[in-house]
Amino acid sequence: MSVTLLALPYDAGALAPHLSRASVQLHHAHHHRIFAETVRTAVTGTALERASLEDIIVETAGRQAQAGLFQAAAETWNHNFYFRSMRPGGGAPSGLLAKMIDRRFGGFDGFSRAFVAAATGLIGSGWAWLVVERGSLAIRTTANSDTPIAFGETPLLGLDLWEHAYVLDHQGRRADYVRAFLKSLANWEFAGDNLDRLLDQAAVPMRASFAETTRR
Ligand SMILES: [Fe+2]
């Protein structure tokens, strides 16, 4: 089966001072690991034993009897995505993605304001995402363990809004954590690669449509 705990793509201390080594290590080696191990245990000996993580999520979404497996699988996928959504030093969107952000949000500042508003507006635990939905960029939040891939949306960038992600370094101040992510941690190269992968998989007219949108 392909349910694996993603190795951190950087040293655990590389995101400091925005996220400390202790915080990242605890998050990855404790929270993330428990979810992945829960999935492995739950599917062993079942029809889903050899299924991909994505297939497990789609198969169990909305099924009350499998809510626990869905939660663990979605958390594993979300965390795999989250840790790749960051890199030391962050960066800025470029290429087609930058043009799409300009077009959709009026520029990076407009996007940042909307992302912070969405992330801080989520009551309780969950996730904030930049996604492609029906051929357009959108900002989404999902509550608790939910994930955009259960709804047919394609995430480009994801941020963990569970308090365990920011309580040590930001004393639970979510807005500070979200702003630090956007300013100093967000991996826009990863986001751009996700967009390219979607466009490569989609029908050719979708790429043409995006290009046309950004020319106007
Ligand atoms: Fe987390």
Side-chain angles (χ1 to χ4, degrees):
M1 67 176 298
S2 52
V3 176
T4 56
L5 180 74
L6 175 85
L8 280 176
Y10 35 73
D11 181 80
L15 304 181
H18 314 289
L19 291 176
S20 64
R21 177 183 295 277
S23 177
V24 172
Q25 281 182 332
L26 182 67
H27 199 171
H28 181 262
H30 178 66
H31 295 283
H32 190 14
R33 181 177 300 280
I34 287 174
F35 289 125
E37 291 177 354
T38 299
V39 176
R40 279 193 217 106
T41 300
V43 301
T44 298
T46 76
L48 292 173
E49 183 167 2
R50 307 183 77 82
S52 69
L53 194 53
E54 290 82 357
D55 287 344
I56 293 170
I57 290 169
V58 171
E59 280 293 316
T60 57
R63 297 185 177 181
Q64 192 57 40
Q66 293 182 297
L69 176 54
F70 171 80
Q71 178 185 17
E75 286 283 358
T76 302
W77 193 93
N78 286 356
H79 279 92
N80 281 347
F81 197 86
Y82 164 66
F83 286 116
R84 285 180 291 162
S85 291
M86 298 186 289
R87 72 175 179 188
S94 61
L96 177 61
L97 179 56
K99 292 177 182 175
M100 291 172 64
I101 287 173
D102 287 347
R103 180 73 185 173
R104 175 68 178 81
F105 300 102
F108 187 74
D109 287 348
F111 160 77
S112 296
R113 283 194 296 272
F115 193 87
V116 171
T120 56
L122 176 73
I123 305 298
S125 299
W127 301 80
W129 309 90
L130 175 63
V131 304
V132 176
E133 179 200 20
R134 291 194 290 273
S136 179
L137 288 184
I139 293 170
R140 290 277 178 269
T141 57
T142 54
N144 300 315
S145 303
D146 249 340
T147 179
I149 68 169
F151 309 117
E153 298 174 349
T154 301
L156 303 182
L157 212 57
L159 181 62
D160 191 340
L161 298 179
W162 286 69
E163 198 172 58
H164 64 236
Y166 57 96
V167 67
L168 288 181
D169 300 311
H170 298 275
Q171 291 76 52
R173 294 189 296 268
R174 184 183 288 179
D176 291 354
Y177 161 65
V178 177
R179 290 192 185 99
F181 169 76
L182 291 171
K183 184 177 180 183
S184 304
L185 296 175
N187 186 347
W188 289 103
E189 187 176 335
F190 175 64
D193 289 346
N194 289 326
L195 177 62
D196 284 343
R197 194 172 303 113
L198 171 67
L199 294 175
D200 287 344
Q201 293 169 352
V204 171
M206 186 173 177
R207 183 180 285 277
S209 172
F210 276 27
E212 180 61 27
T213 296
T214 58
R215 268 201 296 272
R216 288 178 209 150

